[in-house]
Coordinates of all heavy atoms in Angstrom, one line a residue:
T1 N 0.9 -1.2 0.0 CA 0.0 0.0 0.0 C 0.9 1.2 0.0 O 1.8 1.3 0.8 CB -0.9 0.0 1.2 OG1 -1.7 -1.1 1.3 CG2 -1.8 1.3 1.2
I2 N 0.7 2.1 -0.9 CA 1.4 3.4 -1.0 C 0.6 4.5 -0.6 O -0.6 4.7 -1.1 CB 1.9 3.6 -2.5 CG1 2.8 2.5 -3.0 CG2 2.7 5.0 -2.5 CD1 3.2 2.7 -4.4
F3 N 1.1 5.3 0.4 CA 0.4 6.5 0.9 C 1.0 7.7 0.2 O 2.1 8.1 0.6 CB 0.5 6.5 2.4 CG -0.1 5.3 3.0 CD1 0.8 4.3 3.5 CD2 -1.4 5.1 3.2 CE1 0.3 3.1 4.1 CE2 -1.9 3.9 3.8 CZ -1.1 2.9 4.2
Y4 N 0.3 8.2 -0.8 CA 0.9 9.3 -1.6 C 0.2 10.6 -1.4 O -0.9 10.6 -1.0 CB 1.0 8.8 -3.1 CG -0.4 8.8 -3.7 CD1 -0.9 9.9 -4.4 CD2 -1.2 7.7 -3.6 CE1 -2.1 9.9 -5.0 CE2 -2.5 7.7 -4.1 CZ -2.9 8.8 -4.8 OH -4.2 8.8 -5.4
D5 N 0.9 11.7 -1.8 CA 0.3 13.0 -1.8 C -0.5 13.3 -3.1 O 0.1 13.5 -4.1 CB 1.4 14.1 -1.7 CG 1.0 15.5 -1.7 OD1 -0.3 15.7 -1.8 OD2 1.8 16.4 -1.6
G6 N -1.8 13.2 -3.0 CA -2.6 13.3 -4.2 C -2.7 14.8 -4.7 O -3.4 15.0 -5.7
G7 N -2.1 15.7 -4.0 CA -2.1 17.1 -4.4 C -0.8 17.5 -5.1 O -0.7 18.6 -5.6
C8 N 0.1 16.5 -5.3 CA 1.4 16.8 -5.9 C 1.3 16.2 -7.3 O 1.2 15.0 -7.5 CB 2.5 16.1 -5.1 SG 4.1 16.0 -6.0
P9 N 1.4 17.1 -8.3 CA 1.3 16.6 -9.7 C 2.4 15.5 -10.1 O 2.1 14.6 -10.8 CB 1.5 17.9 -10.6 CG 1.0 18.9 -9.7 CD 1.4 18.5 -8.3
L10 N 3.6 15.7 -9.6 CA 4.7 14.7 -9.8 C 4.3 13.4 -9.2 O 4.5 12.3 -9.8 CB 6.0 15.2 -9.4 CG 6.7 16.3 -10.2 CD1 8.0 16.7 -9.6 CD2 6.9 15.8 -11.6
C11 N 3.9 13.4 -7.9 CA 3.5 12.2 -7.2 C 2.4 11.5 -7.9 O 2.5 10.3 -8.1 CB 3.1 12.5 -5.8 SG 4.3 13.5 -4.8
V12 N 1.4 12.2 -8.3 CA 0.3 11.6 -9.0 C 0.7 11.0 -10.3 O 0.2 9.9 -10.7 CB -0.9 12.7 -9.2 CG1 -2.0 12.1 -10.1 CG2 -1.5 13.0 -7.8
K13 N 1.6 11.7 -11.0 CA 2.1 11.2 -12.3 C 2.7 9.8 -12.1 O 2.5 8.9 -12.9 CB 3.0 12.2 -13.0 CG 3.5 11.8 -14.3 CD 4.3 12.8 -15.0 CE 4.7 12.3 -16.4 NZ 5.2 13.4 -17.2
E14 N 3.6 9.7 -11.1 CA 4.3 8.5 -10.8 C 3.2 7.4 -10.4 O 3.3 6.2 -10.9 CB 5.3 8.6 -9.7 CG 6.1 7.3 -9.5 CD 7.2 7.4 -8.5 OE1 7.4 8.4 -7.9 OE2 7.9 6.3 -8.4
M15 N 2.3 7.7 -9.6 CA 1.3 6.7 -9.2 C 0.4 6.3 -10.4 O 0.1 5.1 -10.5 CB 0.3 7.3 -8.1 CG 1.0 7.6 -6.8 SD 2.0 6.3 -6.0 CE 3.6 7.0 -6.1
R16 N 0.1 7.2 -11.3 CA -0.6 6.8 -12.5 C 0.2 5.8 -13.3 O -0.3 4.8 -13.8 CB -0.9 8.0 -13.4 CG -2.1 8.8 -13.0 CD -2.3 10.0 -13.9 NE -3.3 10.9 -13.4 CZ -3.2 12.2 -13.5 NH1 -2.2 12.8 -14.1 NH2 -4.1 13.0 -13.0
H17 N 1.5 6.1 -13.4 CA 2.4 5.2 -14.2 C 2.4 3.8 -13.5 O 2.3 2.8 -14.2 CB 3.7 5.8 -14.4 CG 4.6 5.2 -15.3 ND1 4.3 5.1 -16.7 CD2 5.8 4.5 -15.2 CE1 5.3 4.4 -17.3 NE2 6.2 4.0 -16.4
L18 N 2.6 3.8 -12.2 CA 2.7 2.5 -11.5 C 1.4 1.8 -11.6 O 1.4 0.5 -11.8 CB 3.0 2.8 -10.0 CG 4.5 3.1 -9.7 CD1 4.6 3.6 -8.2 CD2 5.3 1.8 -9.8
K19 N 0.3 2.4 -11.5 CA -1.0 1.8 -11.6 C -1.2 1.1 -12.9 O -1.7 0.0 -13.1 CB -2.1 2.8 -11.2 CG -3.5 2.1 -11.1 CD -4.5 3.1 -10.6 CE -5.8 2.3 -10.3 NZ -6.8 3.1 -9.7
K20 N -0.8 1.9 -14.0 CA -0.9 1.3 -15.3 C -0.1 0.1 -15.5 O -0.5 -0.9 -16.2 CB -0.4 2.4 -16.3 CG -0.5 2.0 -17.8 CD -0.1 3.1 -18.6 CE 0.1 2.7 -20.1 NZ 0.7 3.7 -20.9
L21 N 1.1 0.0 -14.9 CA 2.0 -1.1 -15.0 C 1.6 -2.3 -14.1 O 2.0 -3.4 -14.3 CB 3.4 -0.7 -14.7 CG 4.1 0.3 -15.7 CD1 5.4 0.7 -15.2 CD2 4.2 -0.4 -17.1
D22 N 0.8 -2.0 -13.1 CA 0.4 -3.0 -12.0 C -0.7 -3.8 -12.5 O -1.8 -3.8 -12.0 CB 0.1 -2.3 -10.7 CG -0.2 -3.2 -9.6 OD1 0.4 -4.4 -9.6 OD2 -1.0 -2.9 -8.7
K23 N -0.5 -4.6 -13.6 CA -1.5 -5.5 -14.2 C -2.1 -6.5 -13.2 O -3.3 -6.7 -13.2 CB -0.9 -6.3 -15.4 CG -0.3 -5.4 -16.4 CD -1.4 -4.6 -17.2 CE -0.8 -3.9 -18.4 NZ -1.3 -2.6 -18.6
P24 N -1.3 -7.1 -12.3 CA -1.9 -8.0 -11.3 C -2.7 -7.4 -10.2 O -3.4 -8.0 -9.4 CB -0.8 -8.9 -10.8 CG 0.5 -8.2 -11.3 CD 0.1 -7.2 -12.3
G25 N -2.5 -6.0 -10.0 CA -3.2 -5.3 -9.0 C -2.6 -5.6 -7.6 O -3.3 -5.7 -6.6
N26 N -1.3 -5.6 -7.5 CA -0.6 -5.9 -6.3 C -0.4 -4.7 -5.4 O 0.0 -4.8 -4.2 CB 0.8 -6.5 -6.5 CG 0.7 -7.9 -7.1 OD1 -0.2 -8.6 -6.7 ND2 1.7 -8.3 -7.9
I27 N -0.7 -3.5 -5.9 CA -0.4 -2.3 -5.2 C -1.8 -1.6 -4.9 O -2.6 -1.4 -5.8 CB 0.5 -1.3 -6.0 CG1 1.8 -2.0 -6.3 CG2 0.7 0.0 -5.2 CD1 2.7 -1.1 -7.3
Q28 N -1.9 -1.1 -3.7 CA -3.1 -0.3 -3.3 C -2.6 1.1 -3.2 O -1.6 1.4 -2.5 CB -3.6 -0.8 -2.0 CG -4.8 0.0 -1.5 CD -5.5 -0.6 -0.3 OE1 -5.4 -1.8 -0.1 NE2 -6.1 0.2 0.5
F29 N -3.2 2.1 -3.8 CA -2.9 3.5 -3.8 C -3.8 4.2 -2.9 O -5.0 4.2 -3.1 CB -2.9 4.0 -5.2 CG -2.0 3.3 -6.2 CD1 -2.4 2.2 -6.9 CD2 -0.7 3.8 -6.3 CE1 -1.6 1.5 -7.7 CE2 0.1 3.1 -7.2 CZ -0.3 2.0 -7.9
E30 N -3.2 4.9 -1.9 CA -4.1 5.7 -0.9 C -3.6 7.1 -0.9 O -2.4 7.4 -0.5 CB -4.0 5.1 0.5 CG -4.6 3.7 0.6 CD -6.1 3.8 0.5 OE1 -6.7 4.8 0.7 OE2 -6.7 2.7 0.2
N31 N -4.5 8.0 -1.2 CA -4.2 9.5 -1.2 C -4.3 10.0 0.2 O -5.4 9.9 0.8 CB -5.2 10.2 -2.1 CG -5.1 11.7 -2.2 OD1 -4.3 12.3 -1.5 ND2 -5.8 12.3 -3.0
I32 N -3.2 10.5 0.7 CA -3.2 11.0 2.1 C -4.1 12.2 2.3 O -4.4 12.6 3.4 CB -1.8 11.3 2.6 CG1 -1.1 12.4 1.9 CG2 -1.0 10.0 2.7 CD1 0.2 12.9 2.4
N33 N -4.6 12.8 1.2 CA -5.4 14.0 1.3 C -6.9 13.7 1.1 O -7.7 14.6 1.1 CB -5.0 15.0 0.2 CG -3.6 15.5 0.3 OD1 -3.2 15.9 1.4 ND2 -2.8 15.5 -0.7
A34 N -7.2 12.4 1.0 CA -8.6 12.0 0.9 C -9.4 12.4 2.2 O -8.8 12.3 3.3 CB -8.7 10.5 0.6
D35 N -10.6 12.8 2.0 CA -11.4 13.3 3.2 C -11.5 12.2 4.3 O -11.5 12.6 5.5 CB -12.8 13.6 2.7 CG -12.8 14.9 1.8 OD1 -11.9 15.7 1.9 OD2 -13.8 15.0 1.1
D36 N -11.5 11.0 3.9 CA -11.7 9.9 5.0 C -10.4 9.2 5.3 O -10.4 8.2 6.0 CB -12.7 8.9 4.5 CG -12.3 8.2 3.2 OD1 -11.3 8.6 2.6 OD2 -12.9 7.1 2.9
F37 N -9.2 9.8 4.9 CA -8.0 9.1 5.1 C -7.7 8.9 6.6 O -7.3 7.8 7.0 CB -6.8 9.8 4.4 CG -5.5 9.1 4.6 CD1 -5.1 8.1 3.8 CD2 -4.6 9.5 5.7 CE1 -3.9 7.4 4.0 CE2 -3.4 8.8 5.9 CZ -3.1 7.8 5.0
R38 N -7.8 9.9 7.4 CA -7.5 9.8 8.8 C -8.4 8.8 9.5 O -8.0 8.1 10.5 CB -7.6 11.1 9.5 CG -6.5 12.1 9.1 CD -6.7 13.5 9.8 NE -5.9 14.5 9.2 CZ -4.7 14.9 9.6 NH1 -4.2 14.4 10.7 NH2 -4.1 15.9 9.0
D39 N -9.7 8.6 9.1 CA -10.6 7.7 9.6 C -10.1 6.2 9.3 O -10.2 5.3 10.1 CB -12.0 7.9 9.2 CG -12.6 9.2 9.6 OD1 -12.2 9.7 10.7 OD2 -13.4 9.8 8.9
R40 N -9.7 6.1 8.0 CA -9.3 4.7 7.5 C -8.0 4.3 8.0 O -7.7 3.1 8.1 CB -9.4 4.6 6.0 CG -10.9 4.7 5.5 CD -11.1 4.5 4.0 NE -10.3 5.6 3.3 CZ -9.4 5.4 2.4 NH1 -8.9 4.1 2.2 NH2 -8.8 6.3 1.8
Y41 N -7.1 5.3 8.2 CA -5.7 5.0 8.6 C -5.2 5.8 9.8 O -4.4 6.7 9.6 CB -4.7 5.2 7.4 CG -5.0 4.3 6.2 CD1 -5.8 4.6 5.2 CD2 -4.5 3.0 6.3 CE1 -6.1 3.8 4.1 CE2 -4.8 2.1 5.2 CZ -5.5 2.5 4.2 OH -5.8 1.6 3.1
P42 N -5.9 5.6 10.9 CA -5.5 6.5 12.1 C -4.1 6.4 12.6 O -3.6 7.3 13.2 CB -6.6 6.1 13.1 CG -7.0 4.7 12.7 CD -6.9 4.6 11.2
A43 N -3.5 5.3 12.2 CA -2.1 5.1 12.7 C -1.1 5.8 11.8 O 0.1 5.9 12.2 CB -1.7 3.6 12.7
I44 N -1.5 6.3 10.7 CA -0.6 7.0 9.8 C -0.7 8.5 10.0 O -1.8 9.1 9.9 CB -0.9 6.7 8.3 CG1 -0.9 5.2 8.1 CG2 0.1 7.4 7.4 CD1 0.2 4.6 7.4

């Protein structure tokens, strides 16, 4: 699981590229700026 900055254009570009290459779906992408992020990941 990658916790990335969804407000950073460079970060998002890399995550898009990784997601496109991740054919088996082994990576979960979590935007730390999502409204519910703190609720879903209180330890982060």
Side-chain angles (χ1 to χ4, degrees):
T1 301
I2 301 175
F3 303 101
Y4 71 96
D5 177 3
C8 167
L10 285 177
C11 304
V12 169
K13 184 175 182 167
E14 181 175 7
M15 295 306 116
R16 280 183 189 140
H17 192 65
L18 281 166
K19 189 170 187 175
K20 181 179 171 187
L21 295 173
D22 185 27
K23 303 290 188 219
N26 290 329
I27 303 172
Q28 179 173 331
F29 300 89
E30 293 291 340
N31 180 354
I32 64 171
N33 299 312
D35 292 336
D36 62 346
F37 181 82
R38 291 179 196 263
D39 295 331
R40 291 184 299 119
Y41 295 98
I44 308 256

